[in-house]
C-alpha cells in the first residue's frame, strides 16, 4: 500500500510500504477515507521536531473497517469509524478515568513501527478501546466534521474545559489555527458569553465569527494585551485558551488572563523556558491542559455533530490527493491553507 513518510525538513514523500494487516487478536485494519495534516505535523516538516528518515506521519483519519482480529467485539467489517490520535486499551485506570493519552498500552500513530494516518490503510491496535463507530445512516456530507473529531475539535474542547469555560464566561483564544478556531466553537458550545479571537488573518477571523467569536484582536504583543484589557474593562479574560505553544503565545496568555482566571493550554510546547510561578501564584492564576484525551470527548462531540448542534468542518479549506500530500504540507507551511484534507 502507499503511505506518507517524512525524510527530513520539507521532505514529504508517498512510498510503498507493507500492507496494513491484523497482527494481534485485538487489531483492526481500517481503509482510510479521509486523513488530514495537523499543525503539529508542521513542526516535523520544518525540522523543529525530529523524525527518523522514512518514518510514517499523520495521526488524524476516519475510514471503513476492512478486517478485525478474533477478539474485537465493538466494531465489525464495513463499519465507518473515527480514530482518535492515540490508541488505547479502554480498560486501564487511566482510560477509565478519561485520560486515554496516558494509557500504558497506548501509542501515537506514526511512532515506532506503527502506521501513520496519511496512507491508504492503518493497522489499529486495541481497536475496541480506540475506535468510535459512526452510525450507518450518518450522511457522507458529515465526513469532514467527523474527521475534525479525531484531533482538532477534541483538542480545542480540551482547552476550553481546562480553562473552566462555562455559561457567561469571557474567553480569549490565543491562536487562529484549526485548534484555536475549534476552541472558539467549543467555548460557544459550553456557553461562553464573550469570545475574543486573537489572530491577524481575516479568512480565519471569518471562521472564528462563524463559530461564535464576538470580538477579534488582530494585533500582537503589548498591543494585543492592551486590546483585550480594553475589551474586558481592564480585567482580562476569565478563561484563556493557549493553542500555539510558543513563548510569545504563552506570554500573551499570561498577560491577558484576569486575576483568578484559568489558562487551558493545548499548544504543543516549543521554545517555552518555564512558567513564572511566582507571578501566577500571586495572581491566583490557574493553569491546566496538556495532550487532549480526544477519545474521552468523542462520544459527546459526535452526538452534537450528528444532531447538527456543531459543525467544525469549516476548519478544512483545501483537499489534496495522497499523491499531492507534499503540496498540502507546503500550503499549510506557507499559510495559504488553514487545514488540509488528504484523500487517498
Amino acid at each position: 500500500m502507499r503511505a506518507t513518510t517524512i525524510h527530513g525538513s520539507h521532505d514529504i514523500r508517498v512510498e510503498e510500504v507493507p500492507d496494513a494487516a491484523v497482527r494481534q487478536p485485538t487489531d483492526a485494519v481500517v481503509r482510510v477515507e479521509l486523513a488530514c495534516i495537523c499543525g503539529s505535523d508542521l513542526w516535523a516538516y520544518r525540522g523543529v521536531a525530529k523524525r527518523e528518515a522514512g518514518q510514517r506521519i499523520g495521526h488524524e483519519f476516519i475510514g471503513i473497517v476492512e478486517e478485525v482480529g478474533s477478539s474485537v467485539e465493538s466494531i465489525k467489517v464495513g463499519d465507518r469509524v473515527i480514530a482518535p490520535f492515540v490508541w488505547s486499551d479502554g480498560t486501564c485506570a487511566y482510560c477509565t478515568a478519561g485520560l486515554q493519552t496516558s494509557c500504558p498500552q497506548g501509542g501515537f500513530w506514526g511512532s515506532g513501527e506503527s502506521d501513520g494516518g496519511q496512507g491508504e490503510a492503518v493497522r489499529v491496535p486495541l481497536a475496541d478501546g480506540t475506535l468510535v463507530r459512526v452510525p450507518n445512516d450518518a450522511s457522507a456530507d458529515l465526513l469532514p466534521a467527523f474527521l475534525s473529531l479525531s484531533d482538532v475539535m477534541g483538542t480545542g474542547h480540551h482547552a476550553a474545559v481546562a480553562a473552566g469555560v462555562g455559561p457567561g464566561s469571557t474567553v480569549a483564544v490565543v491562536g487562529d489555527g484549526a485548534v484555536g478556531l475549534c476552541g472558539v466553537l467549543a467555548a460557544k458550545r459550553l456557553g461562553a458569553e464573550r469570545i475574543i479571537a486573537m489572530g491577524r488573518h481575516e479568512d480565519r477571523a471569518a471562521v472564528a465569527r462563524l463559530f461564535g467569536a464576538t470580538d477579534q484582536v488582530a494585533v500582537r504583543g503589548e498591543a494585543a494585551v492592551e486590546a483585550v484589557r480594553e475589551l474586558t474593562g481592564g480585567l482580562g479574560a476569565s478563561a484563556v485558551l493557549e493553542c500555539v505553544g510558543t513563548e510569545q503565545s504563552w506570554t500573551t496568555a499570561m498577560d491577558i488572563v484576569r486575576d483568578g482566571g484559568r489558562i487551558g493550554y493545548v499548544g504543543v510546547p516549543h521554545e517555552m523556558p518555564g512558567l513564572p510561578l511566582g507571578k501566577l501564584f500571586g495572581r491566583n492564576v490557574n493553569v491546566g491542559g496538556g495532550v487532549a484525551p480526544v477519545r474521552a470527548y468523542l462520544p459527546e462531540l459526535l452526538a452534537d455533530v450528528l444532531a447538527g448542534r456543531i459543525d467544525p468542518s469549516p476548519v478544512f479549506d483545501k483537499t489534496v490527493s495522497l499523491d499531492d500530500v507534499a503540496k498540502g504540507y507546503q500550503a499549510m507551511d506557507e499559510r495559504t491553507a488553514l487545514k488540509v484534507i488528504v484523500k487517498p
Side-chain angles (χ1 to χ4, degrees):
M1 71 176 197
R2 297 180 304 150
T4 304
T5 58
I6 183 166
H7 288 261
S9 176
H10 296 83
D11 188 357
I12 294 290
R13 307 177 192 178
V14 177
E15 299 182 306
E16 290 290 331
V17 300
D19 288 343
V22 168
R23 299 180 190 171
Q24 301 293 332
T26 52
D27 289 351
V29 172
V30 174
R31 173 175 54 83
V32 176
E33 291 184 288
L34 296 178
C36 56
I37 301 169
C38 184
S40 62
D41 292 332
L42 295 182
W43 293 115
Y45 180 72
R46 294 166 179 158
V48 177
K50 300 302 179 185
R51 296 289 188 274
E52 295 294 328
Q55 185 173 338
R56 308 282 185 86
I57 195 167
H59 53 263
E60 302 160 282
F61 64 95
I62 60 173
I64 304 298
V65 177
E66 291 207 324
E67 186 180 359
V68 296
S70 59
S71 297
V72 175
E73 298 179 349
S74 63
I75 58 169
K76 63 182 185 302
V77 172
D79 283 345
R80 174 173 285 135
V81 291
I82 304 170
F85 64 81
V86 171
W87 72 79
S88 55
D89 63 21
T91 60
C92 72
Y94 287 115
C95 287
T96 55
L99 194 63
Q100 290 88 341
T101 49
S102 291
C103 177
Q105 306 303 319
F108 292 80
W109 309 112
S111 62
E113 297 182 356
S114 67
D115 295 335
Q118 295 164 14
E120 292 181 322
V122 177
R123 179 183 75 89
V124 178
L126 304 171
D128 280 330
T130 301
L131 298 173
V132 174
R133 189 179 68 85
V134 175
N136 293 332
D137 59 354
S139 171
D141 293 339
L142 294 176
L143 291 183
F146 297 151
L147 179 61
S148 75
L149 303 184
S150 67
D151 185 348
V152 288
M153 185 61 215
T155 297
H157 178 67
H158 187 53
V161 170
V165 177
S169 294
T170 295
V171 182
V173 181
V174 181
D176 63 355
V179 170
L181 294 172
C182 286
V184 170
L185 183 57
K188 179 68 174 180
R189 176 180 178 271
L190 292 172
E193 181 176 317
R194 191 169 199 177
I195 305 171
I196 304 166
M198 307 184 71
R200 298 178 296 174
H201 303 88
E202 181 51 39
D203 55 342
R204 301 181 182 201
V207 177
R209 290 191 293 271
L210 176 67
F211 283 176
T214 57
D215 302 274
Q216 179 189 3
V217 170
V219 290
R220 286 186 175 185
E222 288 298 324
V225 175
E226 292 175 8
V228 173
R229 294 282 178 180
E230 183 175 348
L231 288 169
T232 57
L235 297 176
S238 57
V240 175
L241 280 55
E242 196 290 306
C243 302
V244 183
T246 64
E247 182 175 1
Q248 182 184 47
S249 63
W250 263 103
T251 298
T252 298
M254 291 184 290
D255 286 346
I256 63 176
V257 68
R258 73 177 59 185
D259 288 15
R262 297 175 66 173
I263 298 172
Y265 72 99
V266 293
V268 179
H270 288 84
E271 306 167 358
M272 186 60 204
L275 295 177
L277 294 181
K279 183 178 179 180
L280 297 175
F281 179 84
R283 297 177 55 211
N284 278 284
V285 171
N286 294 273
V287 176
V291 183
V294 168
R295 180 61 181 81
Y297 301 132
L298 253 167
E300 61 178 291
L301 296 177
L302 175 59
D304 275 7
V305 168
L306 291 169
R309 290 186 288 268
I310 62 171
D311 178 14
S313 64
V315 298
F316 298 108
D317 59 352
K318 185 179 180 67
T319 299
V320 299
S321 67
L322 183 59
D323 287 334
D324 288 333
V325 66
K327 294 180 180 178
Y329 274 83
Q330 182 179 3
M332 285 183 62
D333 184 47
E334 296 175 351
R335 290 184 174 270
T336 59
L338 168 59
K339 190 167 179 67
V340 175
I341 289 176
V342 180
K343 191 171 184 179

